[in-house]
Structure formats: structure tokens, C-alpha cells
């Protein structure tokens, strides 16, 4: 560590240098929570909020910490998701493709304390969103949009397919 006085030529040169585009600030992170108010607590017993048209929605208040964080679980049930080993493998590959597509878009959400998880199992597709509840709906919309309208790219598919095949072969060899 040291300290020294800068000469006037260096200072003048720095003052004449224009803005450098590569040193720009990142775009505003729309996933950063703005409402950090604590919840007032509530009922510890889950209650049905919606039960119509194949949708069952339940709510349970945080009665212990009253923090402005939450976790939402959804199960997109389908008997076709895993009625055979092949259909389960295809469902898992589809989830991998959606996750890969969403990776760049959801990175700011991870920086803001939000996360999501997608997985395929024998009942269908599990979907979880967690973190500050102020912006969970925004992240959920992004992920659901990726599920509903995925961007299919051959290069992405081939890369993820090769990874899935390697994982299946490795699990067979370890068994």
C-alpha cells in the first residue's frame, strides 16, 4: 500500500477521457424486492383458496417468523409424463431444455434472492418458486412462459440429450 500525488498531466488526461461503453452499469434488476414489510402472522393451518377446473390451490401463513419470504409449489399433473420409462426420460429432457433456456433470464432473479426448481416425476412436472414474496409472481410468470412456449433449438437439444444419455449410461454401470 502506498500513497503518492498524481501529476497534473495524468489528471488532465483522465478528465478528457470519454465514457467507456464496456464499463456501463448493468440493466435494472426487476426481480429485486421492494416490499420488505413483515407479515402479521396468521393461521398455521392450510386452507383451500381455489379448487376448480382441475386446480387445487392451498395457502398457509407463516406463523413463526413472519418474514416476507415464501415458497410456492405447483404440480402439473399428467399421466403421460411418466407412464413409461421412455416418457419419463422425455419429460426430464423437456424440463432440462426449459431450464437451460431460462438460465440467462432467471440469473437476475437468483441474484435478488429468488429461486425456482423444475422436475419431472411419476405424477407430472413439479414447479417450485421461493424467496422474497414481493417478486415471486414475476419469476413464476417467466418460468411458466418457458414451460408454455419453449424455444426449441437443435444444438441445445443435442447437448442436453447427450448429457442425459451419459447420465443414464453411468447409472446403469454403477448399478
Amino acid at each position: 500500500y502506498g500513497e503518492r500525488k498524481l501529476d497534473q498531466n495524468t489528471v488532465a488526461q483522465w478528465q478528457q477521457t470519454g465514457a467507456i461503453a464496456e464499463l456501463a452499469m448493468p440493466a435494472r434488476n426487476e426481480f429485486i424486492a421492494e416490499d420488505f414489510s413483515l407479515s402479521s402472522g396468521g393461521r398455521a393451518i392450510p386452507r383451500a383458496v381455489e379448487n376448480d377446473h382441475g386446480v387445487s390451490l392451498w395457502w398457509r401463513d407463516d406463523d413463526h417468523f413472519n418474514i416476507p419470504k415464501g415458497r410456492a409449489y405447483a404440480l402439473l399433473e399428467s399421466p403421460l409424463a411418466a407412464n413409461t420409462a421412455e416418457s419419463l426420460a422425455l419429460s426430464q429432457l423437456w424440463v432440462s431444455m426449459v431450464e437451460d433456456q431460462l438460465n440467462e433470464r432467471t440469473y437476475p432473479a437468483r441474484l435478488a434472492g429468488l429461486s425456482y426448481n423444475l422436475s419431472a416425476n411419476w405424477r407430472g412436472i413439479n414447479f417450485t418458486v421461493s424467496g422474497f414474496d414481493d417478486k415471486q409472481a414475476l419469476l413464476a410468470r417467466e418460468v411458466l412462459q418457458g414451460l408454455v412456449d419453449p424455444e426449441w433449438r437443435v444444438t441445445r437439444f443435442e447437448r442436453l440429450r447427450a448429457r442425459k444419455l451419459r447420465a443414464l449410461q453411468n447409472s446403469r454401470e454403477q448399478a
Side-chain angles (χ1 to χ4, degrees):
Y1 173 77
E3 198 174 302
R4 63 185 167 132
K5 197 160 187 84
L6 295 172
D7 63 81
Q8 291 300 328
N9 290 337
T10 302
V11 173
Q13 186 179 8
W14 286 351
Q15 289 174 337
Q16 292 175 4
T17 303
I20 302 171
E22 292 83 15
L23 297 179
M25 294 295 290
R28 180 181 172 275
N29 187 343
E30 61 188 333
F31 293 103
I32 294 177
E34 297 168 10
D35 181 6
F36 295 99
S37 56
L38 299 177
S39 66
S40 58
R43 298 174 19 174
I45 301 168
R47 63 184 183 276
V49 177
E50 181 77 38
N51 197 1
D52 196 20
H53 305 298
V55 173
S56 179
L57 180 63
W58 290 76
W59 175 265
R60 179 185 177 274
D61 290 320
D62 172 18
D63 64 332
H64 190 67
F65 295 108
N66 301 327
I67 56 175
K69 287 188 172 184
R71 178 165 287 156
Y73 300 96
L75 172 61
L76 310 173
E77 278 190 283
S78 172
L80 301 177
N83 60 353
T84 66
E86 180 183 14
S87 64
L88 177 59
L90 290 172
S91 295
Q92 291 170 341
L93 182 59
W94 178 65
V95 165
S96 295
M97 289 192 60
V98 171
E99 287 176 323
D100 191 72
Q101 166 192 331
L102 291 171
N103 191 35
E104 184 177 339
R105 178 68 187 118
T106 58
Y107 178 72
R110 288 193 302 273
L111 292 177
L114 292 168
S115 63
Y116 78 94
N117 184 44
L118 291 172
S119 63
N121 63 31
W122 66 274
R123 291 183 66 192
I125 306 297
N126 283 321
F127 171 42
T128 306
V129 177
S130 60
F132 290 105
D133 56 9
D134 183 33
K135 300 293 180 156
Q136 277 186 5
L138 181 61
L139 177 58
R141 255 190 306 277
E142 286 290 331
V143 175
L144 289 172
Q145 183 62 39
L147 287 168
V148 170
D149 190 21
E151 296 172 7
W152 302 115
R153 292 192 186 136
V154 174
T155 55
R156 174 183 292 148
F157 174 78
E158 290 301 329
R159 179 174 44 85
L160 295 171
R161 180 177 165 269
R163 182 188 306 163
K164 180 70 176 168
L165 287 172
R166 267 193 317 276
L168 289 171
Q169 289 169 348
N170 288 341
S171 66
R172 183 175 27 180
E173 290 174 13
Q174 291 176 355

